[in-house]
Amino acid sequence: MASLCLSSSRIVFLHHHNPCLSLKFRPRISNLSGLSHSASDVSFSPLRLSSDRQRTASVSAKVEKRRKRGSSVVCYATPMLSVHNLQWISTISCVALMLTRGTGIHKSFVVPLFALQAPLGIVSWMKGEYGIWAAFLALLTRLFFSFPGELELPFIALLLVIVAPYQVMSMRGKQEGAILSLAISCFLAFQHFSRAGSLQKAFDQNSVLATVAIIGVTIVSILFLI
């Protein structure tokens, strides 16, 4: 009891004579309240999270729309006369020259022109299993029956593409192949228009298809070289 009374009296004495010491023992309520407010501010808010997600989704949707618009513009800006389309135009023109009769050209030159300018899909089909079977059946039929004159050149073109070595077919799509195709097409155009007699006769009813095919082959060969 004596010790407790002495300690309490000492604390009271210090409090009266040195008030700064008593301030040290006071809790800092203001700082704790500030921490509580900051903790409440940092607390999880589902409404704010949902709004942030909505903003992110809207921004991504706008970016996707811009990308789609840009891709559509690029697709519309693609030229119609692409390499693939030019190859198909040349192939159709060569087949028309093989089958038509209204021209005086040497049709054997159309076969290498077809092999140089045909699309890759057609060449792959000819060199594949289906092309080999088609050539085998056509050759087997040719042994016992006679082909019409118009079907001889397509059959020869099929055999030429199948047996052509790699060094020859590698000229496709290169400058050497473009120069050779242009030389063949110019020679065919010279033969056709010179034997027709005049430009008006070249567009007669009997030879208009051959004239259009030769013009198409020549233009395609020039575009490939450019």
Side-chain angles (χ1 to χ4, degrees):
M1 290 294 289
S3 62
L4 291 174
C5 292
L6 289 173
S7 62
S8 61
S9 62
R10 189 177 294 175
I11 292 171
V12 171
F13 175 77
L14 290 174
H15 175 73
H16 286 289
H17 289 275
N18 196 357
C20 295
L21 293 174
S22 62
L23 293 175
K24 293 181 180 179
F25 294 99
R26 294 179 181 176
R28 296 181 179 178
I29 301 173
S30 61
N31 293 334
L32 293 176
S33 62
L35 289 174
S36 63
H37 285 297
S38 62
S40 62
D41 292 337
V42 179
S43 61
F44 177 74
S45 178
L47 295 176
R48 184 179 298 174
L49 183 60
S50 62
S51 63
D52 292 339
R53 288 181 179 176
Q54 290 178 359
R55 290 178 183 175
T56 306
S58 62
V59 171
S60 62
K62 289 180 181 179
V63 172
E64 190 67 24
K65 286 181 181 179
R66 289 179 181 176
R67 287 180 180 177
K68 288 181 179 180
R69 288 177 183 176
S71 62
S72 62
V73 170
V74 171
C75 293
Y76 286 124
T78 304
M80 294 296 295
L81 296 178
S82 61
V83 176
H84 185 70
N85 294 335
L86 291 176
Q87 288 176 346
W88 273 105
I89 292 173
S90 178
T91 302
I92 295 172
S93 300
C94 289
V95 173
L97 287 175
M98 291 178 189
L99 301 178
T100 189
R101 294 183 178 180
T103 180
I105 63 173
H106 203 288
K107 292 186 177 183
S108 298
F109 288 95
V110 183
V111 176
L113 185 62
F114 171 82
L116 288 173
Q117 294 187 353
L120 182 61
I122 294 179
V123 175
S124 300
W125 184 87
M126 289 181 172
K127 283 184 169 293
E129 184 177 0
Y130 294 104
I132 294 174
W133 271 101
F136 171 73
L137 294 176
L139 184 60
L140 190 64
T141 306
R142 180 67 179 82
L143 291 175
F144 301 99
F145 304 97
S146 60
F147 279 173
E150 292 81 7
L151 297 179
E152 288 287 342
L153 286 178
F155 175 62
I156 294 174
L158 177 61
L159 293 179
L160 180 66
V161 172
I162 291 174
V163 302
Y166 172 77
Q167 290 78 8
V168 176
M169 297 304 293
S170 63
M171 296 174 61
R172 290 170 38 86
K174 296 183 179 179
Q175 188 175 6
E176 296 85 359
I179 293 173
L180 184 59
S181 300
L182 181 60
I184 294 173
S185 59
C186 289
F187 176 72
L188 293 176
F190 173 76
Q191 277 191 333
H192 177 74
F193 288 106
S194 62
R195 293 182 181 181
S198 63
L199 186 62
Q200 184 178 359
K201 291 181 179 180
F203 284 95
D204 287 342
Q205 186 176 359
N206 296 329
S207 59
V208 62
L209 181 60
T211 303
V212 172
I214 288 176
I215 292 174
V217 168
T218 307
I219 293 175
V220 169
S221 301
I222 294 172
L223 292 176
F224 278 149
L225 188 60
I226 294 175

